[in-house]
Amino acid sequence: MTLTAAHIREAADFIRSRAALVPEIALILGSGLGVLADHVEDAAVIPYRDIPHFPLSTVEGHAGELVVGRLAGRNVVIMRGRFHMYEGYGPELTAFPVRVMKALGARTLVVTNAAGGINTSYRPGDLMLITDHLNLTGRNPLVGPNDDELGPRFPDMSEAYSRRLRAIARETAREQGLELREGVYAGLLGPSYETPAEIRMLRALGADAVGMSTVAEVIAARHCGLDVLGISCISNMAAGILDQPLSHEEVMETTERVKSRFLALVTGVIPRL
Ligand code: HPA
């Protein structure tokens, strides 16, 4: 099914009927990073299942609700739980909530995820500012007829992750005495983790971290003119780097451990966006 401007309007109208506040900043919280939504004041919590045309998020660690309210003095809309293409959703469904948040008033998207570290100088628990991405999902949310009202047919991706917003994040981390890595995020379809050979290939391609989300959302965001800040939590070293198997449990354990630093960084960045 193609989701059109009318579907976006319908979802946005419904959200407005539950939450009067106009959000300026949209956030998408990755696996285990949903804790940020607990800090929202005057929160209106809207389960995805209630929102017209929103699918359900099926992954453990992803709550599946939209939270609208105030965070660090700014009006925000937060996706607690996202739609991954490996769940079987088409790329247009990963783009849809981004477009809805833009329709609600957001001008900036802060996108977060858990990712495997490919750069061997990284350690599980590191936070990484995403400088750029490799879309290796084999999909693109903009395939199909283009709605020129939403954005251009051939959107520029040369500054997918805003230079200005990266500088703000870097400065905030410095003030907090927090070490912030910077690198390229490779987005793959998943859901199987990569093989060691694939990780060597990704390293040769210039990737520093790998995950199964984010790239489609960021493409949709740039298409509709949102500025993007991306932060990865390095939840594990990618396949073949350490002599141990990968597991979703390790991802959840690490994000749990990083929670307070992640919270401090994001809430420190928000007032400056
Ligand atoms: N690979 C892909 N996706 C991930 C990983 C990984 O190692 N860790 C967290 N998400």
Side-chain angles (χ1 to χ4, degrees), residues 31 86 113-118 185-186 188 190-194 199 202 209-213 233-239 246-248 251:
S31 304
Y86 65 70
N113 57 54
I118 293 178
Y185 174 92
L188 274 66
S192 49
Y193 288 117
E194 303 70 35
I199 293 302
L202 294 173
V210 58
M212 305 173 192
S213 66
C233 165
I234 304 300
S235 55
N236 57 282
M237 293 312 290
L246 273 57
S247 72
H248 189 56
V251 172

Side-chain angles (χ1 to χ4, degrees), residues 6 14 22 26 32 75 87 105 132-133 159 209 230 261:
F14 174 81
V22 177
N75 292 356
E87 293 174 84
D132 207 345
H133 76 214
E159 201 180 314
R261 268 184 299 138

